[in-house]
Every structure is written in structure tokens, then in C-alpha cells.
Amino acid sequence: MNGLHHGQTGEEKRLSQLRTDLEELPRRPGVYLMKDASGAVLYVGKAEDLRARVRQYFQRSEKGDGRFHVAFLVPRIQDVEVIVTTSPREALILEDTLIKKHQPRYNVRLKDDKSWLSMRLDPKEKWPRPTLVRRWKDDGARYFGPYLDELNSRKVQRLLSRTVPLRTCSDAVFRAHSERPCIEHQMGRCAAPCVGYINRVEYAKLVDEAVLLLEGRTRTLQGRLKERMEAASAELRYEDAGRIRDNIRLLQRLGERQSAQVPGLSDRDVFGLHREGQLAAVTILPIREGRMQDVRAFDFRSALEEDDEFLGRLIAQIYSPTVPAPGEILVPCAIDDSKGRAELLSEVAGRRVRIVQPRRGAGKRLIDIARENAQVRFRAAHSRAERAEQALFGIQRALHMDRLPRRIECYDNSNIQGSDPVGAMVTFKDGVPWKKGYRTFQIKGVSGPDDYATMKEVLLRRLKRSTSDDPAWALPELILIDGGRGQLAQVVAVCHEIGLALHRSDAEAPTAGVHLAAIAKPRPGEPTDKVYQPGRANPVALRARNPGLHLLQQLRDEAHRFAVRYHRKRRTKRTLSSELDSIPGVGPATRKRLLRHFGSIQRIRAASLTDLGQVQGVGPRTAEAIQRSLATGS
Ligand code: SF4
């Protein structure tokens, strides 16, 4: 075991000391534990080459190697401890054990899941009973679910109590009925172990049937129930036999109605993942005996690892000796060390388990269904405000802002070959549109199609208003413009002209002030939009999965829509005005009234003389002149 310890003498010294110490790490497989100043384990990872792997965290910058969780992790690391193992496989096992033991904050943890209900059944209890619970514990019990919603979980509970007569009472109620069973028995829903109407061997068979039902193996269960029905009939327990027959029919009907058939497919679990920043939802579609069962779902509020590590470690936590993995696990992306993980799952399950990433065919279609379900679960589990917060956080990190961009303004221009140029400003507060902060600008000082000059005029007029008391003109944390370096330079010039302090993100001399950025569409071959900032030579390419990128795109699109709408409105008004201009008897006031009354030139053209006469200032002669003029187009 290696330990790297340091005194706390400033951020730079800490990082540089850590980097030096990392050079001493062995180039061997093993596990590393990253710890904070209090010694708490923040993160556990495994590596085939410990030195190379741990160095990655500190290589490119203080913000880490680009992986999502690294930016959160690196500033908090005070100590790195490594444990050398004899093989990568041993490292994988040790990593799982240490994650379970330390529950590190930056590793995915199943217990963080704010899941809805799961069914718990512990076959080791003397008289097991199924209960709905919200948390999975490492207690040797079997857990089924979590179900997609509360309704589904209650449905499963009802079906179970109707088909398998296990006790549902608490231990206290169980003891209190040692002489007489409760009404559950009279209703045929409990075999009444409390009074010894069933022995433990027979009760254990019922527990097996419950497991079959909860696993979705309803065909096998129907076979078992048939055997029980025949035995009851042979023993002349016709009432019991009739009840079991009804249950078999119920299962048959449910099977036909509820589960989609997936012919030719063996037992498998299909994973779907949807995430935005640290928020994530994972769904599992279990397929058993050729039928798709109810979707299971988990959601997470601090999913920091990359998708491959996140899903790999989640799979390791979901399956256990009591929840063995099915023969195949379909995943939406490559999984960290999928071969090693599949081997471990195979050992635990006692049969071969494969982890597969299907790229086409039936498997791919199942993955798409699982992903869609994950999206649905995501929206249900994480509020709009929570998602918006993630997006703001994503922007703050990507643009190195000194605060969250709670208020963002975005600008765009619109004109057609220089005619009727307009500018538009839209404002988002806390990540959502704030219509009170929308403004349009009719461009006065620019002739011809000059995007730069238009942008300059808009920003100049807007920023001069920032001293006003009107909250709609208060300065935002971030000004975003649709464009590239050229447009950005214009806005920087405007800020200098009016003496507005800008935040410079240059590492050497960061200064306080308004943050400025320009978002430009990617060129062919580039993965995502680029964001330019003053003082930064290269644009920032936000990762496609950064929710901040989606928010910036949304702002850009909204500004574009608003600018185009305003431009159209102005153009239509001008066209209408010019058509009405030349009609004798129609002055500016009448023209305005006509436009207000009819709304469009088509409607004025279609209007009868009586309709036209209803507009103030339009007499019979003017109405005739309007009709004549618009009919000939003269
Ligand atoms: S019959 Fe007995 S064991 Fe069954 S639910 Fe009632 S009290 Fe519990």
C-alpha cells in the first residue's frame, strides 16, 4: 500500500506535491482511494497501471482530464492511497468491495437512488412475507423492482396476494393470531402459518412461487400452480383447487394483456440511461420467458462518473447472490471492463452472463425502448428547476464563470438583404425564458446588410439602459450573442466605449465584471457548437451531454425566433403601408385604422364596401377607391 501525504500550504503547492508523489506510484494493477483533508474516501477506482491512471486526474489542468467528475474531485483531493493487486480482475473485485465499504461520494451509489417502491422478500426468515420498501439494503433479502411508479408496485402487490397465499401481517400480528387466523385466511389470501395450517416445507414452496411471480416467470408459475391444483383435487380439497384454477386463469389473462412478447429472446435485462449533468435516470426492461416485464427504474442526483464507469458500477451493485444477473445484459454504451464484470457476474449467478452493447436489430430496438423509458422517468423524477440548475452549473463550469449565470441575455439580428434590419434580446432567468426581459430594436444607424454594425448598435443601446431603475434593463451575469469572433469583438468594443467592466477568463489575470460569450454553429466535422469568450484564444467546445450546451442553444434559438418574428412583423407592416399609401383619401390615420381593423391586406382586399365603411374616416367614395385600387394592384 502506498500513501501520499501533504501539508496544506496552498492550492498550487498541494497539486504540485501530489503530481510529484504520483511519480512514485507503481505501474501495476490495483485500486486507488482518493481522500479529502479529513481522510474521508471521496472516490475509489481501479486501474491496470496505477501510475498512468492516477496521473490522468492531474494531467491537463487543475480541472482534470475532461471527465465530468474529475473537475469536482480534483480540488478536494488531499491524499491518494493505492492498493496493488495481483491482477486486474482482483482489482475489479477489490474496487467493488471498497465502494460498498466506503460509499464514496463521487462513485455511483445505489442507495442514493430516490427510488419508488421495490418488493422485498427474505427467504431466510422463518415465515417470509413480501413488503414494499423504498431502499435496497445489503441484508441478504431479495429485492424486486424498483417499479416505474407507485401504481405499478401496488398492482404487483395485489396480484401477489391473490395468487400466492403468503402472510402479509407484521410479526406482532402474527403472534397475536396464534389461536385463530385473521380474515386474510378466510379470504383465501394466506395459508395461515400463524396457527400451523401449513408447515415450513410447504410454505417454502409458496415463497418459491412468489419469487417466480416477482421475477415475471409466470409460465413456470402456472405449471407449479397446476401441480398444486391437481394435488388439492386429489385430496378432495375442491375449494382450494377451484381457487388455484382461478389464479391460473388470472395469470394467463394478465400474460396476454400486459406483457409484450419478444419471441426468440432468452432472459435478459435491457438497460436505458438518460442523464443531464449530474442528474440521471436508469431503467431496466427485464425480459423473462420471452415476455417483457414491467420496467424497473432508478434515478440519481449526483451521477458524476462517465457513462461507462457509471453503468459498470451500477451493474455491480444491482446484481448479487440474491439478485443474480440474467444470461444477458444489454447496455446502451460500452461498459468499463465489461468482460471482467461479466465473468464476476457469471460466477455469482452460477451460469454464463454476457454484457452486450447491441448496435442493430432486435437488441438495438430494446435499447431504444429502455432509453425512452429512462427519459420519461427522468422528467418525472427531476423537476424543471432542478434540471435548469444543472444547466446553469454546466455553463458556469464550461465558461469558467465566477458565479452562476442566473440571468442570461442573448442577442440576434434579422434582415433580408439589409432591408428592415432589427435586433432582438431575450432573457432567461434561472434557466427559463423571462418574457419581461424580451426587447426588440429597430435599427436606425445601419444601412445595408451589416451584421457587425447592427450588433454594435443593439448592444450600445441596450447597455446604455443598464443604469435605468427598470429591473428589465438590469445587467445579466452573462451576455450571449449569436455569432463568432467578429461579433464578439464588436460587443467588446461597445463595452469599452461605455466603460462596462467585462470579466476576462484569462488564467493569469481574471477580472470581475459581466461575462460575455458568442455561440457559433459547428463547421462540418466539428462535434458541437463552439463558444468564444474574450481573452480566450480557442473556443470552448461544450460536450454534447453538458446540459449547459442545451441551454445556450435554446437561448440562441429563442433569440433567433424572436428576431425573425419581429422582422416579419415590420416587413408586413411596411408592405401594407406602401400598398395603402397611394390610395386617394387614405391618409396615415385612416391607414392605421384600416390595418388595425382588418389585420392584413388580404382581408382589406376581400372586404365589402359596407365592411370598409365601418372603419372611421372611410366614406363611400374612399371605400370604392380602396376596392378599386387593391383589385387592380395599382
Ligand atoms: S392468517 Fe395469520 S399469518 Fe396469515 S396474515 Fe393473518 S395473522 Fe398473518
Side-chain angles (χ1 to χ4, degrees):
M1 187 152 65
N2 246 333
L4 306 168
H5 300 273
H6 318 280
Q8 251 193 307
T9 52
E11 180 67 5
E12 262 313 305
K13 200 166 175 194
R14 177 187 70 85
L15 279 169
S16 120
Q17 182 63 51
L18 268 171
R19 284 190 190 110
T20 313
D21 290 348
L22 297 179
E23 297 308 314
E24 294 165 20
L25 291 181
R27 309 204 65 140
R28 304 268 309 278
V31 176
Y32 52 91
L33 295 90
M34 292 173 160
K35 297 179 177 178
D36 67 9
S38 70
V41 178
L42 296 170
Y43 186 75
V44 172
K46 61 160 176 47
E48 290 192 19
D49 177 339
L50 280 167
R51 191 192 304 170
R53 182 64 169 156
V54 178
R55 255 175 23 186
Q56 275 182 355
Y57 284 82
F58 302 91
Q59 246 166 16
R60 290 190 203 165
S61 71
E62 293 170 24
K63 304 283 174 192
D65 67 351
R67 283 177 294 155
F68 196 69
H69 69 291
V70 175
F72 294 88
L73 189 56
V74 169
R76 290 166 181 82
I77 300 171
Q78 285 294 326
D79 184 21
V80 181
E81 180 184 323
V82 299
I83 301 170
V84 175
T85 58
T86 53
S87 66
R89 179 191 152 80
E90 200 181 292
L92 188 58
I93 297 169
L94 185 60
E95 182 198 56
D96 283 349
T97 311
L98 291 175
I99 288 175
K100 278 184 189 132
K101 181 179 167 195
H102 294 290
Q103 306 271 322
R105 187 171 157 206
Y106 293 98
N107 289 105
V108 59
R109 294 179 299 184
L110 205 51
K111 79 178 188 62
D112 283 348
D113 163 45
K114 185 189 80 70
S115 57
W116 285 308
L117 294 164
S118 298
M119 187 67 79
R120 177 185 183 277
L121 185 62
D122 186 355
K124 293 189 306 318
E125 286 173 0
K126 188 170 179 189
W127 302 107
R129 69 181 178 120
T131 46
L132 284 172
V133 294
R134 293 214 176 260
R135 291 269 181 256
W136 288 25
K137 285 189 195 153
D138 202 3
D139 57 2
R142 292 210 54 177
Y143 290 87
F144 305 88
Y147 301 102
L148 194 59
D149 57 36
E150 188 128 351
L151 197 67
N152 272 20
S153 56
R154 300 287 170 202
K155 256 170 29 195
V156 171
Q157 191 180 36
R158 268 201 307 277
L159 178 64
L160 185 61
S161 72
R162 281 181 67 177
T163 46
V164 187
L166 292 182
R167 76 162 173 131
T168 49
C169 59
S170 66
D171 289 346
V173 173
F174 186 90
R175 283 192 296 272
H177 283 83
S178 56
E179 289 176 6
R180 224 172 123 209
C182 75
I183 191 163
E184 289 290 304
H185 176 67
Q186 287 159 29
M187 292 171 73
R189 294 200 299 228
C190 179
C194 54
V195 286
Y197 286 0
I198 185 168
N199 63 35
R200 284 188 66 184
V201 176
E202 292 303 312
Y203 194 84
K205 287 182 189 165
L206 295 183
V207 172
D208 286 348
E209 287 174 14
V211 169
L212 287 173
L213 181 78
L214 293 170
E215 282 182 341
R217 300 184 187 283
T218 48
R219 276 195 210 148
T220 312
L221 176 60
Q222 283 171 40
R224 298 276 289 269
L225 288 179
K226 212 164 156 212
E227 283 169 21
R228 217 154 35 91
M229 180 181 75
E230 282 161 4
S233 186
E235 290 162 15
L236 309 182
R237 290 186 287 112
Y238 296 119
E239 207 180 318
D240 285 349
R243 198 177 291 138
I244 297 169
R245 182 203 55 217
D246 292 346
N247 288 339
I248 294 172
R249 286 183 185 158
L250 173 72
L251 288 173
Q252 281 167 344
R253 279 202 308 276
L254 273 178
E256 284 155 17
R257 223 173 45 215
Q258 285 184 341
S259 346
Q261 264 198 298
V262 194
L265 286 189
S266 56
D267 285 1
R268 59 189 65 190
D269 280 351
V270 187
F271 277 69
L273 168 66
H274 182 82
R275 65 188 291 177
E276 291 178 18
Q278 296 178 52
L279 305 178
V282 172
T283 49
I284 305 174
L285 299 181
I287 294 169
R288 300 290 183 270
E289 299 180 345
R291 280 181 188 276
M292 197 187 294
Q293 310 297 319
D294 275 347
V295 179
R296 289 163 196 179
F298 303 86
D299 40 80
F300 301 88
R301 290 206 146 59
S302 52
L304 292 168
E305 295 150 302
E306 293 294 293
D307 292 355
D308 62 334
E309 291 175 332
F310 175 76
L311 276 181
R313 293 193 174 120
L314 189 63
I315 285 170
Q317 290 176 54
I318 285 174
Y319 301 110
S320 65
T322 48
V323 185
E328 239 178 32
I329 296 171
L330 304 192
V331 287
C333 58
I335 292 295
D336 171 51
D337 201 354
S338 65
K339 200 161 161 260
R341 291 196 187 282
E343 278 171 19
L344 289 183
L345 293 174
S346 304
E347 272 172 32
V348 172
R351 62 162 175 269
R352 185 167 177 236
V353 176
R354 292 170 64 219
I355 298 179
V356 185
Q357 185 195 356
R359 294 178 196 275
R360 62 185 75 81
K364 176 68 172 59
R365 282 195 291 280
L366 288 170
I367 285 284
D368 291 341
I369 296 171
R371 186 180 290 128
E372 277 168 35
N373 275 290
Q375 274 168 5
V376 171
R377 171 66 181 232
F378 185 91
R379 307 260 166 245
H382 302 298
S383 68
R384 200 178 171 197
E386 229 181 337
R387 287 170 359 228
E389 196 78 4
Q390 284 296 307
L392 298 184
F393 190 55
I395 294 173
Q396 185 190 5
R397 267 195 339 109
L399 304 189
H400 298 276
M401 294 182 66
D402 54 354
R403 56 204 186 275
L404 269 190
R406 296 234 163 256
R407 181 173 168 145
I408 308 175
E409 284 175 10
C410 185
Y411 294 84
D412 195 13
N413 306 326
S414 182
N415 67 70
I416 293 180
Q417 289 165 352
S419 77
D420 304 296
V422 297
M425 155 185 148
V426 297
T427 306
F428 277 32
K429 265 173 117 174
D430 290 323
V432 292
W434 185 57
K435 298 284 166 100
K436 281 185 188 161
Y438 280 34
R439 293 289 184 275
T440 49
F441 301 84
Q442 203 178 316
I443 303 304
K444 296 166 187 161
V446 180
S447 59
D450 188 339
D451 227 22
Y452 290 177
T454 305
M455 187 62 80
K456 195 169 175 180
E457 180 180 325
V458 169
L459 265 294
L460 195 60
R461 283 165 56 188
R462 185 267 171 265
L463 292 175
K464 278 186 176 168
R465 306 289 294 270
S466 58
T467 49
S468 123
D469 291 337
D470 184 350
W473 290 114
L475 278 176
E477 277 86 24
L478 173 64
I479 291 176
L480 180 71
I481 51 174
D482 183 10
R485 274 186 227 282
Q487 280 89 347
L488 187 69
Q490 295 301 316
V491 182
V492 171
V494 168
C495 294
H496 288 158
E497 194 177 323
I498 62 166
L500 180 75
L502 278 180
H503 178 94
R504 308 272 304 187
S505 52
D506 326 39
E508 292 79 30
T511 54
V514 173
H515 289 259
L516 193 58
I519 180 166
K521 290 238 162 71
R523 292 211 185 95
E526 290 176 341
T528 59
D529 299 41
K530 293 168 292 187
V531 179
Y532 294 91
Q533 287 179 280
R536 281 190 143 200
N538 297 317
V540 182
L542 276 77
R543 289 181 161 208
R545 103 156 194 240
N546 183 337
L549 173 65
H550 301 147
L551 181 56
L552 293 179
Q553 289 168 332
Q554 199 190 338
L555 270 147
R556 190 249 322 271
D557 295 347
E558 178 66 350
H560 183 69
R561 180 197 68 77
F562 196 53
V564 167
R565 198 185 76 161
Y566 181 55
H567 180 251
R568 269 200 204 120
K569 210 165 142 191
R570 284 210 36 80
R571 209 166 38 128
T572 309
K573 205 169 159 194
R574 188 173 54 76
T575 315
L576 290 181
S577 298
S578 64
E579 285 208 48
L580 294 172
D581 264 356
S582 52
I583 303 173
V586 178
T590 311
R591 194 174 65 212
K592 222 180 232 173
R593 279 191 223 107
L594 277 165
L595 288 175
R596 200 177 308 129
H597 188 90
F598 293 102
S600 73
I601 203 83
Q602 285 80 5
R603 285 204 194 129
I604 301 175
R605 193 174 277 129
S608 66
L609 289 174
T610 320
D611 293 338
L612 289 167
Q614 283 175 1
V615 177
Q616 192 195 341
V618 178
R621 284 175 64 184
T622 311
E624 275 177 29
I626 293 171
Q627 271 202 341
R628 207 172 35 247
S629 173
L630 292 183
T632 57
S634 62

